[in-house]
Amino acid sequence: MKTILTFIAVVFFGTVAMANQGSKEVKVNTITVGVELNIDLHTSVKKNREVARLYKFKNSRVKKELSFTTKKNTAKLA
C-alpha cells in the first residue's frame, strides 16, 4: 500500500512539475560576417637530405632486440 501511494505521489509531482515549465523560445539575432582567405604557401626545399636505414637482414641489431625470447618461453608437456 505504501509503495503504491509513493508511486502515485511521484507521478503526480512529476506531471505537475512538467506542466509548470513555461518554456518560451527566444529568438537570437544572428550576425553574418564575411571571411577573407589569404593563404601564402612558402615551400622550402631542404638540400641536406639524410637517408634512414632500413634493416633488411635477419641478424640486424634492431630485429634481434625486438624479437627476444625468455628461457621460460618454451611449451611444456603435461
Side-chain angles (χ1 to χ4, degrees):
M1 183 73 174
K2 184 177 179 181
T3 57
I4 294 172
L5 290 176
T6 306
F7 182 71
I8 291 172
V10 168
V11 171
F12 175 74
F13 286 120
T15 54
V16 170
M18 288 177 65
N20 285 334
Q21 290 180 352
S23 61
K24 294 181 180 178
E25 294 185 14
V26 179
K27 287 196 171 187
V28 178
N29 295 330
T30 58
I31 300 171
T32 58
V33 178
V35 177
E36 203 175 305
L37 295 176
N38 293 330
I39 300 173
D40 294 331
L41 298 176
H42 298 288
T43 57
S44 61
V45 177
K46 294 182 180 180
K47 292 183 180 179
N48 298 331
R49 294 184 181 179
E50 296 181 5
V51 178
R53 291 189 180 203
L54 179 64
Y55 295 100
K56 293 184 180 180
F57 301 110
K58 185 178 180 180
N59 294 328
S60 67
R61 180 190 263 175
V62 174
K63 285 194 175 183
K64 273 187 181 178
E65 295 296 326
L66 289 176
S67 63
F68 70 94
T69 57
T70 59
K71 291 180 182 177
K72 295 184 178 182
N73 201 17
T74 59
K76 294 181 182 178
L77 291 175

